[in-house]
């Protein structure tokens, strides 16, 4: 008897387990085990499958009964009315489109990974330059373990993100405050188009305005913090790719401390 996961996969248009495994970017043998024992699927893999199939994670791992037939949309019902030859042609066309989408997604991810590798290299350069003014950090870089160096680098990146986040929150709150001041009638434009106070005196409205600004600031802090955490995670993943090989040449990295940045100019050799 076919598993619910297999039914969901086919309903989503993936005819074979291998085809769906490619979309998930996992080995075909790994996905085959998922269909055989959905209750043993790792959480991160289950989320990935659920996102691709458009269903709940409980449905993926078999904790939720799903009426697959009820999920059939108009396109699927129309497909069911086609002849076998027309279905084969449709399947070939859909496979071509899916392959193109997968290629584009892989290209996008590769570009994203490359971008964060550049970020990691940039911040590592700043991190290593700070060794000149922090003897304790220098000891960690030179004598510490790989894990200690990684932790120190992550703390450095997080501190830079925090300082920048405060600035972004302040700017966002300031912009929103002006909009709300105008909306509540405390600010307005004169005939020359200059923004200024209207002279409105309304303590209750002023109190509501302050509460709305406070709420906006909390939301802004949460949003920027969430974005920063995601960025830091991707930078650290890039850092691990850079230093993930068996040979970690930190001595070569230390040479970056006193090297001029190529973007800052310098003598150029004539061809």
């Amino acid at each position: 008897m076919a598993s619910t996961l297999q039914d969901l996969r086919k309903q989503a248009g993936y005819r074979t387990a291998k085809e769906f495994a490619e979309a998930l970017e996992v080995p075909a043998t790994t996905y085959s085990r998922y269909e055989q024992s959905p209750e043993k699927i790792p959480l991160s893999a289950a989320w990935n499958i659920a996102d691709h199939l458009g269903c709940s994670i409980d449905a993926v791992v078999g904790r939720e009964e799903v009426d697959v037939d009820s999920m059939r949309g108009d396109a699927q019902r129309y497909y069911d009315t086609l002849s076998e030859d027309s279905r084969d042609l449709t399947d070939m066309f859909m496979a071509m489109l899916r392959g193109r989408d997968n290629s584009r997604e892989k290209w996008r991810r590769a570009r994203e990974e490359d971008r964060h590798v550049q970020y990691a290299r940039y911040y590592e350069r700043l991190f290593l330059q700070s060794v000149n003014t922090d003897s304790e950090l220098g000891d960690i870089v030179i004598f510490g373990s790989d894990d200690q160096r990684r932790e120190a680098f992550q703390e450095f990146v997080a501190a830079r993100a925090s300082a920048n986040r405060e600035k972004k929150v302040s700017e966002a709150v300031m912009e929103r405050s002006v909009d709300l001041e105008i909306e509540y009638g405390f600010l307005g434009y004169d005939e020359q188009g200059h923004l200024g106070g209207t002279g409105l005196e309304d303590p209750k409205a002023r109190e509501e305005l302050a509460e709305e600004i406070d709420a906006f600031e909390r939301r802004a802090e949460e949003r920027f913090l969430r974005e920063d955490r995601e960025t830091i995670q991707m930078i650290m993943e890039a850092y691990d790719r850079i230093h993930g090989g068996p040979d970690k040449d930190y001595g070569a990295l230390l040479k970056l401390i006193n090297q001029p940045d190529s973007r800052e100019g310098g003598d150029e050799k004539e061809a």
Side-chain angles (χ1 to χ4, degrees), residues 68 80 152 164 204 213 218 226 251:
V68 178
D80 292 341
N164 187 58
K204 184 177 180 180
I213 292 175
R218 288 193 298 272
R226 183 170 59 252

Side-chain angles (χ1 to χ4, degrees), residues 15 62 67 71 81 107 124 151 171 194 202 222 238 252 270:
R15 300 179 64 187
D67 183 1
M71 299 173 63
T81 66
W107 177 79
E124 187 166 36
E151 182 179 356
E171 291 175 349
H194 300 142
D202 189 336
E222 292 173 357
E270 295 182 358

Side-chain angles (χ1 to χ4, degrees), residues 89-191:
L89 288 173
T90 301
D91 292 341
M92 291 174 60
F93 181 67
M94 294 297 292
M96 181 193 69
L97 293 179
R98 188 173 296 112
R100 186 181 67 171
D101 288 345
N102 289 341
S103 297
R104 287 181 174 179
E105 178 63 17
K106 289 179 181 179
W107 177 79
R108 185 194 66 79
R109 290 183 182 180
R111 286 194 63 185
E112 188 78 3
E113 289 178 357
D114 181 68
R115 182 162 62 92
H116 285 93
V117 165
Q118 298 304 316
Y119 291 165
R121 293 188 186 278
Y122 169 73
Y123 278 111
E124 187 166 36
R125 180 185 179 85
L126 298 180
F127 170 68
L128 291 172
Q129 287 174 341
S130 67
V131 171
N132 291 329
T133 58
D134 189 335
S135 59
E136 182 178 353
L137 180 59
D139 291 341
I140 293 176
V141 171
I142 297 172
F143 302 110
S145 66
D146 294 342
D147 289 341
Q148 287 176 320
R149 281 187 286 264
R150 186 186 189 280
E151 182 179 356
F153 175 70
Q154 184 169 354
E155 290 177 355
F156 175 83
V157 175
R160 301 275 299 196
S162 178
N164 187 58
R165 183 167 62 251
E166 291 179 4
K167 181 180 179 181
K168 290 191 295 185
V169 171
S170 177
E171 291 175 349
V173 170
M174 183 178 298
E175 182 178 349
R176 181 57 178 162
S177 297
V178 172
D179 291 340
L180 289 173
E181 290 269 1
I182 295 173
E183 183 178 327
Y184 275 82
F186 293 110
L187 290 178
Y189 291 95
D190 59 21
E191 294 179 355

Side-chain angles (χ1 to χ4, degrees), residues 208-222:
E208 293 176 356
L209 172 63
E211 292 176 354
E212 193 162 348
I213 292 175
D214 288 342
F216 175 83
E217 183 174 4
R218 288 193 298 272
R219 293 195 300 271
E221 289 174 345
E222 292 173 357

Side-chain angles (χ1 to χ4, degrees), residues 4 9 17 41 45 63 65 83 93 113 152 168 197 205 207 220 229:
T4 300
R9 184 251 300 167
I41 300 176
R63 293 180 179 176
E65 293 186 5
S83 66
F93 181 67
E113 289 178 357
K168 290 191 295 185
E207 183 179 349
R229 284 174 175 170

